[in-house]
Amino acid sequence: MQHSSLAHAPSNLVNGRWIPIPGETVRSFNPARPADVVYSSASSVDHLHDAVAAARAALPVWSRWPRERRFAVLQRFKAILSERAIAIADLICDETGKAMWDSKGEVSALTNKVDITLDTTPSGAMSRVTGVEFAMTPTKQGKSWFRPHGVMAVLGPFNFPAHLPNGHIVPALALGNTVVLKPSDKAPATGQLLIELFQEALDAEGAPAGVVNLVQGGADVAAALSSHDGIDGILFTGSWPVGRRIMEANLDRPGRILALEMGGNNAAVIMPDADLKQALIECVRSAYVTTGQRCTCTRRVIVHESIASKFIPAFCKAASNLIVGDPRASHPVFMGPIINGPSRDAVFAFQKSLQEAGAEILVPSSPVDTPSRGFYLTPGVARVDRFTFGEDAGRDAGCDTEVFGPFVRISVVKSLDEAIEQANTTRYGLAASIFTADRAAAERFLFEARAGCINVNTGTAGASSKLPFGGLGLSGNHRPAGSFSVDYCAYPVAGMIESGQDAPLPTGMTIDDKWLA
């Protein structure tokens, strides 16, 4: 099975060689038309070992290339992305079910990442990994410089199957690392296409074989890669449970860099003085964009009691009127299907658990029947009394359970104090927003909200790659991506360079020149 966007049949890339992997171990389906198989392949742990060895062998040459030469590869990659933009968007749309406008937006993010990473201006990303040199004495120089970590394992997600792996790979390559990518087994074709384009750029610029490698597979391959002795870092985007397993597998490897982005349970606070139309548009957009399958999607809306009777019905009305349909429809479509049947069932199961615990289902999330039997569902809204810590939806409205789909819980509060407390009532800490005209309230929220991405009068979803991107708690391990992704792709080295020959004699030491005669 080969999608028209791919240059090769389903394959792994090992040491510059495409190895066909026919089989059905790894399969992706079009969520809008599940009868359509997008990609089908086998998986091989043996290929994984070979891929890591290839990346290790390529590292000495690639890391010693002048950075301008590595940058030229990435500029070539950017040009190729621009030439293939339509094909890339087609594949993302077919494999993930994203609306076409959303798929095209992901393609734009790929090219933007190159520019943002290679920015050498004083405020640009490269300034963060540029060394310094200064005189310590007339003959001794102090110097710092940055080295690549080495072989980086990149584990990609399905929701942004090109953009998020790309966000790791571009800075990794720019700083001299080599890469082994294991794409999501829900979006393997997009992972292969991304590596095809990287390899084309590398070949065009004369790079050694093995700088990038691709290995398809499921949880077994991911586990083998994240615990492999031959890698130096793991760059992961996905769920907290998987991120936890990665950390557990590396407890005895303190020198291995782990950059983990693990989702969120993001809150938006609506205060009485907010522009309610602005808040409504942004909260509904952020809750349901990409069918609720962004880690920054708004999962919880916290409304002040003085406007609850106005805002909550408007939110429900707007959610109910979102256009759900074929991602390739010619008419406007806000969101397509969810990625697969189990993901849709998980949304319904969470909704049921809330209802059984006493939550009020204001807008039920329901399946949408279509001739294609796609995994469509409507947006859902539930009202809960309060949020408390924990994972039991029946006890606490699931504040520590990330439901990766188009479902929102709303609660009502009496004050800004209570709103901030409720926003922080989760062990996740990725994104948070407040809608208010009160500058003091906004400043307080910016200071007190426990999240890595905090917005005012704009939604939780829609991060800028020119800023850091990452979270706290179950959302991340203080290794933000975005423009700060260069930080986890290199480490600083300090050196002192002495050019003189008059080393001072320490107190209590005697040296006689005759001893060296």
Side-chain angles (χ1 to χ4, degrees), residues 24-46:
E24 297 184 353
T25 305
V26 178
R27 303 187 86 192
S28 62
F29 305 85
N30 186 328
R33 294 178 293 278
D36 295 349
V37 179
V38 177
Y39 191 93
S40 181
S41 76
S43 64
S44 171
V45 175
D46 289 340

Side-chain angles (χ1 to χ4, degrees), residues 396-428:
D396 55 46
C399 289
D400 291 329
T401 298
E402 183 183 26
V403 181
F404 215 57
F407 197 87
V408 168
R409 288 144 285 167
I410 297 180
S411 69
V412 177
V413 295
K414 298 178 182 297
S415 66
L416 177 61
D417 286 344
E418 188 182 4
I420 293 174
E421 179 269 326
Q422 283 285 278
N424 288 338
T425 301
T426 176
R427 290 191 295 159
Y428 285 95

Side-chain angles (χ1 to χ4, degrees), residues 491-512:
Y491 65 94
V493 179
M496 296 182 291
I497 314 299
E498 176 63 77
S499 59
Q501 298 178 345
D502 296 319
L505 194 65
T507 301
M509 179 185 292
T510 300
I511 296 292
D512 190 328

